[in-house]
Amino acid sequence: EVRLVESGGGLVQPGRSLRLSCAASGFSFSDYAMHWVRQPPGKGLEWVSGVSWNSRTVAYGASVKGRFTISRDNAKNSLYLEMNNLRPEDMAVYYCAKDMANNFLSGSFDYWGQGMLVIVSS
Amino acid sequence: DIVMTQSPDSLAVSLGERATISCKSSQSVLYRSDNKNYLAWFQQKPGQPPKLLLYWASTRDSGVPDRFSGSGSGTDFTLTITSLQAEDVAVYYCQQYYSTPITFGQGTRLEI
């Protein structure tokens, strides 16, 4: 059974940093691209970032580029999102999602974690 | 960026009836080299993560009931749910994975 479990969320002040983690199991993690997608409370889905299976290709949405960094550790079956200089508009549920292929833009997202709420407030 | 626009924003359909949701992309998501539309549909129920329904515009994901179907090509796509069931109440999103940034439609709320 594929499982994706996010951790590391919570309340953080504007301008501070936070690191999200996603622990993967039930599939060969190193074979697939991975993504972060966020959803502000009561709003729609926004793709945040993606990383290819071998970390050679990464991409970011415009609203987070330069502030967020995606990474992965295939030995630990884990995906990360380092979020710096957080803003109130970054407040959202952050989902970890598995790609259907080893690189993104080759398939959609077939498994999602339950999500982790990040609150940015003073 | 490719803008995905869904219509309507909300939709009320009776049990057993058909629901149709439209998704238009601001540019084609048909990749000529493989003749595939890089378009997916998701279902999201309250308090749950999105669930993949269809990819390549019309391929059902494993376990998705055949009352869900997708059609269209290029820039115009449709999600059709035939014989609506109570458990189909949800928000539905289209997504393009043709180019980064990967983008989603704004969502369509389906009610009974």
Side-chain angles (χ1 to χ4, degrees):
Chain A
E1 177 195 5
V2 172
R3 286 197 73 201
L4 299 169
V5 180
E6 301 93 344
S7 61
L11 175 63
V12 61
Q13 292 179 327
R16 303 298 291 266
S17 299
L18 204 61
R19 189 196 200 203
L20 300 183
S21 300
C22 172
S25 60
F27 66 103
S28 182
F29 179 77
S30 60
D31 286 342
Y32 295 93
M34 296 293 296
H35 301 268
W36 290 99
V37 177
R38 69 185 181 182
Q39 185 170 37
K43 297 190 177 180
L45 302 168
E46 179 188 10
W47 176 78
V48 173
S49 182
V51 58
S52 63
W53 66 281
N54 59 3
S55 300
R56 289 183 181 175
T57 306
V58 297
Y60 299 92
S63 62
V64 307
K65 197 169 186 179
R67 299 188 298 125
F68 291 11
T69 303
I70 192 171
S71 62
R72 64 189 296 162
D73 185 336
N74 287 344
K76 295 183 178 179
N77 290 341
S78 293
L79 177 72
Y80 306 101
L81 186 68
E82 185 75 35
M83 304 184 292
N84 296 322
N85 190 21
L86 281 160
R87 304 167 179 169
E89 56 265 35
D90 294 320
M91 185 169 78
V93 173
Y94 284 74
Y95 295 102
C96 163
K98 171 188 170 291
D99 201 292
M100 301 177 73
N102 60 6
N103 204 348
F104 43 99
L105 305 185
S106 299
S108 186
F109 307 166
D110 54 357
Y111 291 94
W112 297 61
Q114 287 298 309
M116 176 62 58
L117 179 61
V118 172
I119 302 171
V120 183
S121 175
S122 53
Chain B
D1 298 4
I2 298 178
V3 177
M4 308 300 289
T5 303
Q6 293 180 227
S7 61
D9 289 334
S10 62
L11 180 62
V13 177
S14 301
L15 289 173
E17 297 298 305
R18 176 190 301 251
T20 302
I21 299 171
S22 171
C23 174
K24 294 182 186 297
S25 56
S26 60
Q27 62 189 76
S28 177
V29 298
L30 173 63
Y31 196 33
R32 297 290 181 185
S33 65
D34 59 10
N35 199 35
K36 289 182 176 179
N37 288 284
Y38 283 52
L39 189 285
W41 288 96
F42 292 88
Q43 175 194 64
Q44 187 178 31
K45 297 180 179 180
Q48 295 185 19
K51 173 189 174 184
L52 179 64
L53 295 175
L54 300 154
Y55 54 97
W56 304 130
S58 61
T59 302
R60 272 187 297 276
D61 195 28
S62 176
V64 174
D66 60 6
R67 63 178 182 274
F68 291 90
S69 63
S71 62
S73 184
T75 61
D76 291 275
F77 301 91
T78 301
L79 170 67
T80 301
I81 311 170
T82 57
S83 188
L84 194 75
Q85 307 294 303
E87 61 263 31
D88 299 334
V89 170
V91 179
Y92 292 84
Y93 296 92
C94 60
Q95 176 212 42
Q96 67 79 19
Y97 47 98
Y98 180 89
S99 67
T100 56
I102 293 168
T103 49
F104 294 86
Q106 80 277 16
T108 294
R109 185 174 303 276
L110 178 58
E111 301 170 330
I112 303 294

